Amino acid sequence: GNSVTQMEGPVTLSEEAFLTINCTYTATGYPSLFWYVQYPGEGLQLLLKATKADDKGSNKGFEATYRKETTSFHLEKGSVQVSDSAVYFCALSSNYGGATNKLIFGTGTLLAVQP
Amino acid sequence: NAGVTQTPKFQVLKTGQSMTLQCAQDMNHEYMSWYRQDPGMGLRLIHYSVGAGITDQGEVPNGYNVSRSTTEDFPLRLLSAAPSQTSVYFCASSSLGRPNSPLHFGNGTRLTVT
């Protein structure tokens, strides 16, 4: 079945460091891919998405490219800030049953940015 | 600008007790869903609904019931709580009108079953 695998955390970086959080997926058909972010004590928020191969999603300095050949959607940011400290979830849409809103999530990666 | 509202924020139950987690959204979203979040397991879909009067099971439905009598509300019922249901529960909604509409999440309910 469909699944998402993302790197385990925590990832600890110094401010202004480069960030990569790896995400790979297994899916039939042509899923859409998402990154969600969860700040402490809050629900998840959509960070960015890509709906077809080679699409690049970007938001707030974060970006991820939908790579069908490697079934990957790695999250990157050139210079992280303390305010980026959060849990990041990779997810894919599951089109079974015709409801594309059903998302399958990875286990989440905690990012801690130190000043 | 309420979005998705979940109540209560925290709840402690004894094994065998029942309770209802409330979820309401004011965005006129057709799709609503419940997830549970457990350490090392990410979010897992419990139940979902694509409109009033329509519900279906997700990945981990056992021990939970749902109903959707209005577009706005989607309560989750635990009929006989078990320690395995200790978790953080999130309600999420989205529009079905646009493909890949983002899910809007509530702030969660932290449930402990002793």
Side-chain angles (χ1 to χ4, degrees):
Chain A
N2 296 344
S3 65
V4 174
T5 303
Q6 60 182 106
M7 63 188 288
E8 290 194 23
V11 174
T12 303
L13 295 173
S14 297
E15 210 164 21
E16 299 184 3
F18 184 86
L19 168 71
T20 299
I21 300 178
N22 290 338
C23 172
T24 57
Y25 68 90
T26 301
T28 54
Y30 302 94
S32 293
L33 301 172
F34 306 82
W35 277 101
Y36 279 78
V37 58
Q38 182 181 30
Y39 298 104
E42 298 183 9
L44 282 70
Q45 306 171 26
L46 178 67
L47 181 59
L48 53 85
K49 69 178 182 183
T51 58
K52 61 183 187 297
D54 299 325
D55 265 4
K56 178 185 284 189
S58 61
N59 187 25
K60 300 181 182 179
F62 291 89
E63 57 183 36
T65 302
Y66 188 164
R67 302 281 188 206
K68 190 166 172 61
E69 64 276 11
T70 54
T71 62
S72 65
F73 192 55
H74 304 321
L75 182 69
E76 296 181 336
K77 187 175 186 183
S79 177
V80 294
Q81 306 299 313
V82 172
S83 57
D84 294 326
S85 298
V87 181
Y88 292 81
F89 291 90
C90 186
L92 66 80
S93 65
S94 173
N95 293 334
Y96 61 94
T100 59
N101 305 66
K102 290 161 66 176
L103 295 185
I104 295 172
F105 287 88
T107 54
T109 302
L110 173 64
L111 170 66
V113 181
Q114 298 175 336
Chain B
N1 195 17
V4 178
T5 302
Q6 290 184 237
T7 55
K9 285 185 168 46
F10 301 94
Q11 183 70 49
V12 179
L13 292 178
K14 294 187 188 310
T15 298
Q17 287 185 316
S18 63
M19 80 159 294
T20 299
L21 280 62
Q22 300 293 343
C23 174
Q25 53 93 7
D26 61 359
M27 297 171 283
N28 203 31
H29 285 165
E30 303 91 343
Y31 181 85
M32 296 186 74
S33 56
W34 279 100
Y35 285 86
R36 58 176 290 172
Q37 181 180 25
D38 301 293
M41 306 200 67
L43 280 81
R44 292 179 292 169
L45 182 64
I46 304 171
H47 286 286
Y48 67 96
S49 167
V50 298
I54 306 169
T55 63
D56 207 345
Q57 297 181 348
E59 182 186 355
V60 288
N62 292 341
Y64 307 95
N65 280 355
V66 292
S67 60
R68 183 96 180 268
S69 57
T70 67
T71 299
E72 294 77 20
D73 299 299
F74 191 46
L76 179 72
R77 298 185 189 84
L78 283 70
L79 298 179
S80 179
S84 61
Q85 294 178 305
T86 294
S87 187
V88 181
Y89 291 85
F90 287 99
C91 180
S93 72
S94 69
S95 169
L96 288 177
R98 290 182 295 124
N100 301 305
S101 293
L103 281 177
H104 296 258
F105 283 81
N107 284 342
T109 295
R110 185 174 294 275
L111 175 68
T112 302
V113 182
T114 61

